[in-house]
Amino acid sequence: MLYGSEILTAAQMRAIESEAMDSGEVTGLTLMERAGAAIAGQIRLRWPKPGQATVLCGPGNNGGDGYAIARLLAQAGWSLRVLGLDNTPGANAAEMKRRWLETGPIAPLTESELHDSPASDVFIDAIFGTGLTRPPEGRIAAVLHKLGRMTGGSSRASLVTVDCPSGLCMDSGRWLGSGNGGKGAGPVPLEAALTVAFDSPKPGHLLDQGPAACGKLVIADIGLRRWREDGRPPSLSAIWPEFPIPDRRICSIRERARAVLDKGISAKGPAGHKYSYGHALIVAGASGHGGAARLTARAALRSGAGLVTICPPHPALSEHAGYPDALMRRGLDHAAGLQAILTDPRISALCIGPGCGVDRAVTFLPAVLEQPRPCVLDADALTALARSPDWPRALSGHHVLTPHGGEFARLFPDLAAKLGETSARGPAFSRVDATREAARRCGAVILLKGPDTVIAAPDGRACIHSAFDVPWLATAGSGDVLAGLITGFLARGLAPMEAAAFGAFVHARAARRFGPGLIADDLPEQLPGVFRDLGL
């Protein structure tokens, strides 16, 4: 499998827990104790010297986890203050509450009581977890706002969250009750130092505001693997996440990269020649606009494609006469000329869009789309595509579209508008929902770019690549390099979904390897080192 960890929605997680408990082999109380032990253990690893903690316990099972955490930390020598609600929770949470009361008292979960806990080193949010479907209101909302002020910014106190920060939709990464795609301040501006979730990451851990809100994410094993692994391939995955996963469904990054060797990404064998490893064609634009297409071509070369040809208009050929010398150049002025070039069966993938010019893209798109070859449509090609009202009918499973948010809005205005709506209830409409629906409508693979890149195929498969840790990747030309990587991998023989996923992964790895100060020209030069690091 090309991807990393399987991602579960909140509903899927609840179903797995229910199936495990219905089997009679594990009880809800056992799962709650394991969850509490996992979080208490992570806290002790991060803060080895016992300190003072305040645990905020909600009305349901998340609160039960909180009472278990408090008891286990107290046993390890921590000073605890526990705030909870005067309610009767479910049986398992009630038992955890009773066990805590044998250790210490429970103060009311109010803003004023929280205000009386300024000396705490760690605050633990166990109020609402994965399954929250409406924004926190009233007294609880006031408590969460206070908690955000006490643990945010320059505060010395750290926030640890159980499952997720309370109020965050775990299917979308959006703060419930917020508009603008969940990208505003949000009704509950929590920023955790550590979030511990169970069994599998959820979409909201990786999407939109999730990474910033959750901080360091740890996925804890609480013994549900048997009921999760039912032999069905996951419909949503993370691309090789950097956070640790506690079982062998995730192997090392090197081993995961080696999973693509049979698709031709490995080092070239002695029996091959340049055409054995693919010929990629890049349609370039007029004079003065060649830089983007050259970045794309350089990335396609560095991806391991055996041959890459860049095709500008004849008057612009001289602009492409310099580095790299390995790049082939061929003048291309008319659609008929492209059709003639594409009679060569050795051309195995195309890219149109970077630096092409919208009018030129309009001219060449019909010749490109009538071909059965894999093709990446990026930048100006996407704008040109959106000009035709019947454009989805022209696409197929051979095509990969790589829009940023603005281009996605031109192609799918209704989906983009839905992402910007206020989410009064969960699960909120997410970037995964939007990208999946877009891929289904047009029958092509869609890669929606961003720090939380989402890739979806027409059959519903999707994956998330979170690159919030490399903000320097947001630089002019970065997307052109990504388009070139995907084109090169398509030329090498990867299927469109796999080429897009592997391209996104390698792209971010190259940026991490270089570090701050990156410009797009640096990315292709990092690729040999990335491949060596991966053992390819």
Side-chain angles (χ1 to χ4, degrees):
M1 184 174 69
L2 191 62
Y3 316 119
S5 172
E6 179 178 1
I7 298 176
L8 298 178
T9 65
Q12 289 170 327
M13 191 71 246
R14 288 194 298 271
I16 288 170
E17 290 172 342
S18 295
E19 184 178 350
M21 290 184 287
D22 290 344
S23 72
E25 298 180 38
V26 65
T27 66
L29 195 64
T30 297
L31 294 177
M32 195 170 286
E33 183 73 13
R34 290 174 182 172
I39 298 173
Q42 288 296 326
I43 291 171
R44 293 179 64 190
L45 282 173
R46 190 179 179 97
W47 294 276
K49 182 180 179 180
Q52 183 166 329
T54 297
V55 187
L56 289 70
C57 298
N61 286 340
N62 210 246
D65 294 339
Y67 292 120
I69 295 164
R71 173 171 47 82
L72 293 168
L73 287 179
Q75 291 172 359
W78 282 68
S79 298
L80 269 298
R81 191 161 192 264
V82 176
L83 310 184
L85 295 171
D86 185 16
N87 73 311
T88 303
N92 297 321
E95 174 59 19
M96 289 300 178
K97 188 175 184 179
R98 186 195 66 78
R99 293 181 185 181
W100 164 253
L101 285 170
E102 294 179 348
T103 302
I106 300 174
L109 182 58
T110 63
E111 185 178 3
S112 61
E113 289 288 347
L114 181 60
H115 181 76
D116 292 336
S117 305
S120 289
D121 304 297
V122 177
F123 289 85
I124 300 164
D125 172 12
I127 300 176
F128 297 122
T130 298
L132 185 68
T133 59
R134 57 185 176 82
E137 298 173 343
R139 185 175 71 177
I140 297 299
V143 167
L144 291 170
H145 278 288
K146 178 68 175 178
L147 180 63
R149 292 192 297 271
M150 295 178 71
T151 58
S154 60
S155 172
R156 71 172 187 85
S158 298
L159 177 63
V160 175
T161 65
V162 180
D163 279 334
C164 63
S166 291
L168 189 71
C169 172
M170 276 290 93
D171 286 335
S172 67
R174 298 171 62 180
W175 291 108
L176 292 175
S178 67
N180 191 30
K183 295 183 183 295
V188 184
L190 299 180
E191 294 185 3
L194 172 68
T195 292
V196 181
F198 309 115
D199 184 79
S200 300
K202 314 306 179 294
H205 290 131
L206 305 178
L207 292 172
D208 277 301
Q209 295 299 289
C214 293
K216 177 179 174 59
L217 177 64
V218 174
I219 307 299
D221 182 6
I222 57 172
L224 293 172
R225 177 181 179 183
R226 173 181 168 187
W227 291 275
R228 175 188 14 90
E229 293 184 341
D230 57 6
R232 294 175 299 177
S235 61
L236 180 61
S237 301
I239 301 178
W240 301 329
E242 300 297 323
F243 50 82
I245 304 294
D247 60 50
R248 285 299 300 170
R249 63 194 161 115
I250 303 302
C251 49
S252 71
I253 286 177
R254 177 174 295 182
E255 289 171 319
R256 292 197 291 274
R258 286 188 179 279
V260 303
L261 294 185
D262 62 341
K263 300 295 181 68
I265 301 301
S266 59
K268 298 175 181 180
H273 54 81
K274 60 178 178 276
Y275 288 109
S276 302
Y277 298 98
H279 181 183
L281 190 93
I282 313 298
V283 179
S287 296
H289 301 277
R294 283 197 302 278
L295 282 170
T296 301
R298 286 171 56 200
L301 277 170
R302 289 294 191 187
S303 75
L307 190 69
V308 177
T309 298
I310 192 168
C311 296
H314 277 89
L317 271 172
S318 60
E319 184 177 319
H320 300 277
Y323 176 84
D325 292 332
L327 182 62
M328 306 295 290
R329 289 91 173 167
R330 183 167 181 173
L332 177 62
D333 297 319
H334 308 292
L338 179 58
Q339 289 172 325
I341 291 173
L342 294 179
T343 60
D344 184 347
R346 295 174 298 182
I347 296 174
S348 49
L350 298 85
C351 178
I352 181 170
C356 181
V358 176
D359 291 340
R360 181 170 166 85
V362 168
T363 300
F364 285 101
L365 269 178
V368 169
L369 296 179
E370 70 183 14
Q371 293 290 322
R373 292 176 177 85
C375 179
V376 175
L377 280 71
D378 185 45
D380 292 335
L382 298 175
T383 301
L385 195 65
R387 290 185 175 182
S388 171
D390 295 327
W391 67 265
R393 298 181 183 178
L395 300 179
S396 72
H398 298 294
H399 301 122
V400 179
L401 279 60
T402 57
H404 56 55
E407 292 159 346
F408 187 85
R410 288 194 283 275
L411 292 167
F412 305 98
D414 59 323
L415 298 178
K418 194 171 180 180
L419 279 174
E421 293 174 355
T422 297
S423 304
R425 294 189 66 84
F429 190 71
S430 74
R431 282 169 59 86
V432 171
D433 297 326
T435 311
R436 272 181 167 152
E437 174 59 19
R440 185 196 65 78
R441 288 184 188 180
C442 68
V445 169
I446 304 288
L447 183 150
L448 178 54
K449 290 186 283 196
D452 51 347
T453 291
V454 179
I455 305 157
D459 62 8
R461 288 176 298 144
C463 55
I464 303 169
H465 184 268
S466 183
F468 282 83
D469 61 321
V470 279
W472 51 89
L473 194 54
T475 184
S478 172
D480 304 320
V481 173
L482 175 59
L485 282 169
I486 298 170
T487 305
F489 295 146
L490 287 171
R492 297 294 302 271
L494 263 68
M497 180 73 175
E498 294 173 326
F502 195 57
F505 170 69
V506 171
H507 188 242
R509 290 279 291 194
R512 291 187 183 100
R513 200 174 193 275
F514 186 91
L518 173 88
I519 61 173
D521 299 72
D522 300 319
L523 287 167
E525 308 314 312
Q526 290 297 309
L527 295 174
V530 169
F531 294 138
R532 284 194 300 271
D533 294 344
L534 296 173
L536 297 179

